[in-house]
Amino acid sequence: MKVLSIVNHKGGVGKTTLALVLGKLLSESVRVLLIDLDPQANLTLALTRQRSREIPQSYHLLMGEFVEPLKISESLSLIPSSVLLSLVEKRLANEKDKELRLSQNLNKYSDYQIVIIDTPPNLSLPTLNAVVASDGVIVPLQLQYFAVAGLETIFELLKVVAQSYNKGIDVWLAPNAYEKRIAIQRDLLERMQKKVQVPILPPIPKRSAFMSISMDGDISYLDKDVRSILNQYTEEVLAWLKSDQR
């Protein structure tokens, strides 16, 4: 089993959409567990049409409990979230090793080939737990100056985690909402390709259909070009799963 987190402390960059699409596409080949680690719970809403504080969820996972995943399809399951997760910082404030809660609990889900974690748009305790538990991280971003500049913060977090826990974390960048006709986006992409030392996945073109997936969970109406690029993402992750199997 490998753990892949979708991380960016900036909101609106397509984290939930990418987690959902990858989960569905990967589930055609392997068993996938999605974990919604965002108190906004948009991934949960897209896949279950509800957000409830009354069911076992990721909050309980961080509190050390076993949470039975919700079955979405034969090979895709979900540990949901709700606003209840916003209480976890306070509840664990005085606990030792609170950033290890998720990684210590994930060995109970070893019958899945991959765990994909959707994280909140901040560097809070849930995000830190996700990164510490991860073997890989995908950073979706829009090609805007401040968004690209913000990569330094994410890279610093990944470096600190890797050094503190003596672990390697594979990292990919995933440009989203790309419009090739806009010169500044082309320029920023070229700069990243020259300067950034991690793989950059093919840019996902700006499409309303892609961004609206997180509202209803339906990937069937993606156009051919976007689906082709997302298939490349899927193949990249599948190849990663097969390499250095643990």
Side-chain angles (χ1 to χ4, degrees), residues 41-61:
N42 289 329
L43 180 61
T44 299
L45 184 62
L47 290 172
T48 70
R49 302 293 193 273
Q50 63 177 341
R51 289 179 281 208
S52 172
R53 292 178 291 176
E54 307 304 321
I55 61 175
Q57 54 193 271
S58 57
Y59 167 82
H60 301 102
L61 195 63

Side-chain angles (χ1 to χ4, degrees), residues 9 11 22 25 41 45-46 48 51 81-82 92 96 106 132 135 137 145 149-150 154 166 170 185 199 205 217 237:
H9 57 297
L22 280 177
L25 293 178
L45 184 62
T48 70
R51 289 179 281 208
S81 183
S82 77
L92 295 178
K96 183 180 178 182
L106 284 182
V132 170
D135 303 291
V137 167
Y145 176 76
I154 298 172
N166 192 29
D170 297 310
Q185 291 200 15
V237 175

Side-chain angles (χ1 to χ4, degrees), residues 80-115:
S81 183
S82 77
V83 70
L84 186 62
L85 186 62
S86 62
L87 299 176
V88 77
E89 299 257 8
K90 183 177 180 180
R91 296 286 169 84
L92 295 178
N94 298 317
E95 295 294 323
K96 183 180 178 182
D97 297 331
K98 53 183 176 287
E99 74 280 5
L100 299 174
R101 286 301 186 98
L102 184 60
S103 58
Q104 291 170 342
N105 222 358
L106 284 182
N107 58 4
K108 301 170 185 175
Y109 302 92
S110 58
D111 52 337
Y112 294 93
Q113 278 78 44
I114 185 169
V115 176

Side-chain angles (χ1 to χ4, degrees), residues 12-225:
V13 296
K15 289 189 297 294
T16 298
T17 304
L18 187 56
L20 192 156
V21 171
L22 280 177
K24 287 202 166 186
L25 293 178
L26 285 165
S27 70
E28 297 174 4
S29 303
V30 295
R31 294 197 71 213
V32 180
L33 174 62
L34 288 169
I35 298 179
D36 191 345
L37 216 58
D38 185 349
Q40 296 178 92
N42 289 329
L43 180 61
T44 299
L45 184 62
L47 290 172
T48 70
R49 302 293 193 273
Q50 63 177 341
R51 289 179 281 208
S52 172
R53 292 178 291 176
E54 307 304 321
I55 61 175
Q57 54 193 271
S58 57
Y59 167 82
H60 301 102
L61 195 63
L62 291 183
M63 298 304 291
E65 301 175 31
F66 175 77
V67 176
E68 185 68 40
L70 302 176
K71 187 174 181 179
I72 304 301
S73 68
E74 191 61 35
S75 299
L76 180 65
S77 299
L78 169 72
I79 293 180
S81 183
S82 77
V83 70
L84 186 62
L85 186 62
S86 62
L87 299 176
V88 77
E89 299 257 8
K90 183 177 180 180
R91 296 286 169 84
L92 295 178
N94 298 317
E95 295 294 323
K96 183 180 178 182
D97 297 331
K98 53 183 176 287
E99 74 280 5
L100 299 174
R101 286 301 186 98
L102 184 60
S103 58
Q104 291 170 342
N105 222 358
L106 284 182
N107 58 4
K108 301 170 185 175
Y109 302 92
S110 58
D111 52 337
Y112 294 93
Q113 278 78 44
I114 185 169
V115 176
I116 299 176
I117 305 172
D118 183 27
T119 63
N122 51 52
L123 299 180
S124 60
L125 183 59
T127 299
L128 181 57
N129 264 267
V131 173
V132 170
S134 293
D135 303 291
V137 167
I138 293 180
V139 183
L141 74 158
Q142 294 184 2
L143 290 167
Q144 302 166 350
Y145 176 76
F146 290 113
V148 173
L151 287 174
E152 292 184 12
T153 303
I154 298 172
F155 287 151
E156 184 62 26
L157 171 64
L158 295 173
K159 181 180 178 180
V160 168
V161 168
Q163 291 177 344
S164 300
Y165 299 96
N166 192 29
K167 63 179 297 181
I169 302 175
D170 297 310
V171 182
W172 298 263
L173 300 185
N176 186 20
Y178 180 57
E179 295 183 88
K180 190 175 182 180
R181 62 184 178 82
I182 298 179
I184 190 171
Q185 291 200 15
R186 295 197 308 271
D187 181 57
L188 285 170
L189 181 59
E190 290 172 6
R191 288 188 195 181
M192 283 200 314
Q193 289 168 337
K194 291 177 181 178
K195 294 183 177 181
V196 175
Q197 302 299 311
V198 301
I200 301 175
L201 296 167
I204 301 171
K206 185 175 184 179
R207 298 285 197 277
S208 58
F210 177 74
M211 298 310 293
S212 65
I213 288 171
S214 60
M215 291 188 285
D216 61 15
D218 187 0
I219 66 173
S220 64
Y221 47 78
L222 287 172
D223 67 53
K224 182 179 178 181
D225 291 340

